[in-house]
Amino acid sequence: MPTESADGAGPMSALQPNAQRVALHPEPGLTESILGGSPEEVDAEPACFVDLNLDQIVAAVTAGRSEYNLIPFFHAPARRAGVVRYRHEVFGDLEDEAVKQAVRQFARRMREMRETLATAAKLHYRYQKERVILDAVTAHCDAVTALGGDLSHARLQSRGLIAFRDFLAQHANSSHFQALRREAIRIKDELSNVRYCLHIKGGRIRVRKPEMEIDYSAEVEKTFDKFKRGAAKSYLAKFSDFFEMNHVEAAVLGMVAQLYPEIFQALHAFCEANATFVDPKISAFDRQVQFYLAYLEYIAPLRRDGLDFCYPEMLCGGKNVSSAGGFDLALAQKLHAENAVVVANDFHLKGPERIIVVTGPNQGGKTTFARAFGQLHYLASLGCPVPGNSARLFLFDRLFSHFEKEEDTRSLHGKLEDDLLRIHAILGQATSQSVVIMNEIFTSTTLHDALFLGQKVMEELTGLDLLAVCVTFVDELSKLNETTVSMVSTVDPKVPARRTFKVVRRPADGLSHAMAIANQHRLAYEELRERLAS
């Protein structure tokens, strides 16, 4: 089915790990960030998140990564197809296990560096604080050098990681970085060679440089080695694991610094000159790459269960959207934890079709289908792999949702009026580039009124020429005009009370199968009448 892709270059197949990826129309500035350009961050949660269970997905994806503050990235869908393709490429490279492990190792070292700096900030004694800062600097230099080496041997294909690899090589070979690393190693080596003797008498401690003293440790161990007879009770003294020095240790270190003034002055000067030693671009990469790692780790268990994920083609000009094997990601994670089966569904729109109207029995998967439609489009706009074998999705400007809510008794208007006000607000903000998900609208009114109001809303949606999914109990809405497509949640034909959770494209049949459920639980009229009579 021909269509116009987001860059106007024709169809683009789903990207697979390590597949050839070519930027047809490179956009300037994209490689300035691993997320593409200057990634937007939004603190406020989008209004559709709760309805579509996207809040659950984002909370699970970012769990355990609060230090990176990733949630604002997930609140900001990309507005350009170029950014989406750029992220697809990075995801593809990170699906290579060697690349993923190299980046994870870098992140672990950077975390250790930050923890070391946080420890230094809590210390009170100058020389100990500066020695800990020196450890943080060397840890950072090791992290940068190791990642640069790992990426230089990797077969990268994404513009983002190739650009960062080139930057890292240039940074690691710069005179500033090389001088930083050499000086840190030199000072660390000199500090490790500091030797001193303590003379303790009563409450007085004297510190001096060693003269002709012999270190008897090795000789003592050698002498008593022949008496070893397996494991023995240890009589070693256990020191406190409290990291900070006490005042006595600090005083001793102060006297040692007086014995070796040059090296301790060099340490102080080094820390003063390198108060900020991490390049901002490296800091940004360390944080932003977690967006990719977190999502890949989130979907990994589902992939191991055999569920498919794909890199969707993004549409801007056309609206012939489709998905094969898509599913509700939040529900899939829940079912995975329960070892239950995930049911996937397909959909497609072509030509003038814009609105999917879903009907069928209650508890048959209609709302789940609508949520999946919204999730697919939102996750695709973030540049993430989406559930399914293949997908062609629309790059929207805004995604709106209207799900049934409990009536607020504090409000001065009823449920129907609340529905009308919320729908009016959506229609007032939506454009032809929007996506709207509506679930069970006007359930609080009569069938006649629900049909009348539903037709008016559908006419407005048709006039806007936007994409929409509408779950309803009013079958007539599914055949309103050429823009509407009917999809029905199905049941087992042999056991109508059993839901298959498959939603298929076919005319609405007007069956709710309520009697099948009533009969299954012996709640039909005749059975109730007999039981009450007895």
Side-chain angles (χ1 to χ4, degrees):
M1 182 165 55
T3 184
E4 180 186 359
S5 60
D7 58 2
M12 180 176 68
S13 61
L15 301 174
Q16 299 299 326
N18 298 323
Q20 182 71 22
R21 292 186 284 277
V22 180
L24 299 177
H25 298 284
E27 296 184 40
L30 273 181
T31 56
E32 290 303 307
S33 161
I34 197 64
L35 288 177
S38 300
E40 187 180 358
E41 299 184 46
V42 178
D43 290 328
E45 182 178 272
C48 65
F49 259 42
V50 173
D51 286 343
L52 302 180
N53 287 344
L54 285 164
D55 58 331
Q56 298 176 23
I57 294 173
V58 172
V61 169
T62 59
R65 286 179 163 87
S66 59
E67 63 184 296
Y68 298 107
N69 190 26
L70 298 177
I71 291 178
F73 293 134
F74 287 92
H75 289 173
R79 306 301 180 189
R80 294 182 293 158
V83 174
V84 173
R85 291 194 304 274
Y86 182 89
R87 293 183 181 182
H88 285 177
E89 296 171 7
V90 176
F91 266 117
D93 273 345
L94 288 172
E95 293 207 53
D96 181 284
E97 194 60 30
V99 177
K100 186 192 301 180
Q101 289 304 323
V103 175
R104 280 177 175 167
Q105 188 80 324
F106 169 77
R108 182 186 62 78
R109 288 170 168 155
M110 290 292 286
R111 181 182 299 110
E112 291 173 354
M113 178 210 71
R114 290 192 299 274
E115 291 172 351
T116 302
L117 286 176
T119 298
K122 298 174 184 177
L123 300 176
H124 296 88
Y125 297 108
R126 169 184 149 186
Y127 294 123
Q128 185 186 19
K129 179 189 289 281
E130 292 174 344
R131 179 62 179 81
V132 174
I133 292 173
L134 183 65
D135 284 338
V137 174
T138 55
H140 171 68
C141 292
D142 290 344
V144 170
T145 304
L147 181 60
D150 290 336
L151 294 184
S152 68
H153 295 99
R155 298 177 60 185
L156 302 177
Q157 299 182 59
S158 68
R159 287 166 288 168
L161 281 173
I162 288 173
F164 185 73
R165 178 185 65 187
D166 295 342
F167 160 77
L168 213 57
Q170 182 181 10
H171 178 75
N173 291 321
S174 67
S175 57
H176 173 75
F177 182 83
Q178 289 292 325
L180 177 75
R181 191 181 187 201
R182 281 196 305 270
E183 185 67 1
I185 293 173
R186 183 189 71 80
I187 295 173
K188 203 168 185 179
D189 288 343
E190 290 191 9
L191 286 172
S192 67
N193 291 324
V194 168
R195 298 289 184 271
Y196 58 92
C197 293
L198 291 179
H199 183 268
I200 304 173
K201 185 177 182 180
R204 295 178 63 84
I205 300 176
R206 186 163 58 89
V207 181
R208 62 174 175 80
K209 288 184 177 181
E211 296 174 353
M212 301 298 293
E213 290 83 5
I214 300 174
D215 185 356
Y216 289 103
S217 300
E219 291 296 324
V220 170
E221 287 183 0
K222 182 179 178 181
T223 300
F224 285 92
D225 187 69
K226 57 187 176 184
F227 298 108
K228 283 185 179 179
R229 294 190 178 183
K233 181 179 178 181
S234 175
Y235 290 92
L236 294 174
K238 186 174 182 180
F239 291 94
S240 170
D241 58 359
F242 185 63
F243 188 75
E244 186 165 12
M245 290 178 166
N246 58 41
H247 67 285
V248 176
E249 293 169 325
V252 169
L253 181 55
M255 289 185 280
V256 172
Q258 293 177 31
L259 296 176
Y260 298 91
E262 296 85 1
I263 182 58
F264 281 90
Q265 287 172 6
L267 173 63
H268 179 68
F270 178 84
C271 292
E272 286 283 303
N274 298 288
T276 55
F277 54 86
V278 181
D279 187 280
K281 194 166 184 176
I282 294 176
S283 294
F285 174 86
D286 179 41
R287 177 192 174 205
Q288 294 170 7
V289 78
Q290 293 296 321
F291 171 89
Y292 299 95
L293 296 178
Y295 189 81
L296 287 175
E297 289 179 15
Y298 175 74
I299 66 175
L302 299 179
R303 280 179 158 171
R304 288 193 292 270
D305 280 355
L307 294 175
D308 292 319
F309 286 80
C310 65
Y311 293 91
E313 177 184 349
M314 300 305 293
L315 306 177
C316 285
K319 295 179 181 177
N320 293 345
V321 297
S322 63
S323 169
F327 52 88
D328 180 332
L329 186 53
L331 178 60
Q333 283 288 353
K334 180 181 178 181
L335 294 175
H336 166 76
E338 299 170 354
N339 293 318
V341 177
V342 175
V343 177
N345 282 295
D346 306 337
F347 65 79
H348 72 273
L349 295 175
K350 59 184 179 180
E353 297 171 347
R354 296 290 183 268
I355 305 171
I356 297 175
V357 180
V358 188
T359 58
N362 290 335
Q363 306 300 316
K366 302 190 301 294
T367 299
T368 298
F369 176 87
R371 281 200 179 103
F373 187 94
Q375 288 177 14
L376 286 171
H377 278 87
Y378 191 88
L379 294 172
S381 73
L382 293 174
C384 295
V386 300
N389 308 313
S390 63
R392 182 187 291 113
L393 302 170
F394 187 66
L395 189 61
F396 57 84
D397 58 1
R398 293 187 66 181
L399 197 161
F400 298 93
S401 66
H402 179 283
F403 279 51
E404 189 175 22
K405 292 184 177 179
E406 292 184 6
E407 187 172 352
D408 187 355
T409 56
R410 297 170 299 178
S411 157
L412 297 179
H413 45 76
K415 190 172 184 304
L416 176 58
E417 184 179 0
D418 179 68
D419 279 346
L420 290 170
L421 289 172
R422 290 167 57 205
I423 292 173
H424 181 268
I426 290 174
L427 295 176
Q429 300 174 68
T431 71
S432 63
Q433 304 302 303
S434 301
V435 173
V436 175
I437 313 293
M438 290 189 173
N439 184 58
E440 300 287 6
I441 58 174
F442 307 132
T443 56
S444 62
T445 187
T446 65
L447 176 61
H448 178 271
D449 289 344
L451 175 58
F452 173 78
L453 294 171
Q455 287 177 335
K456 293 297 183 182
V457 171
M458 296 287 280
E459 288 170 2
E460 290 291 328
L461 295 176
T462 301
L464 288 169
D465 192 40
L466 49 69
L467 292 179
V469 172
C470 179
V471 176
T472 180
F473 63 93
V474 184
D475 290 357
E476 289 82 354
L477 296 180
S478 66
K479 45 192 174 185
L480 189 63
N481 54 47
E482 64 177 1
T483 68
T484 56
V485 172
S486 173
M487 295 191 72
V488 181
S489 60
T490 59
V491 298
D492 186 334
K494 296 181 180 179
V495 186
R498 182 181 301 157
R499 281 31 177 164
T500 65
F501 306 110
K502 293 293 291 185
V503 181
V504 300
R505 182 170 170 138
R506 75 180 191 197
D509 54 22
L511 300 177
S512 65
H513 299 282
M515 281 305 301
I517 297 177
N519 289 328
Q520 182 184 30
H521 296 282
R522 299 184 63 206
L523 295 174
Y525 174 76
E526 292 300 330
E527 290 177 308
L528 285 175
R529 185 177 177 181
E530 291 177 8
R531 289 160 64 186
L532 290 173
S534 62

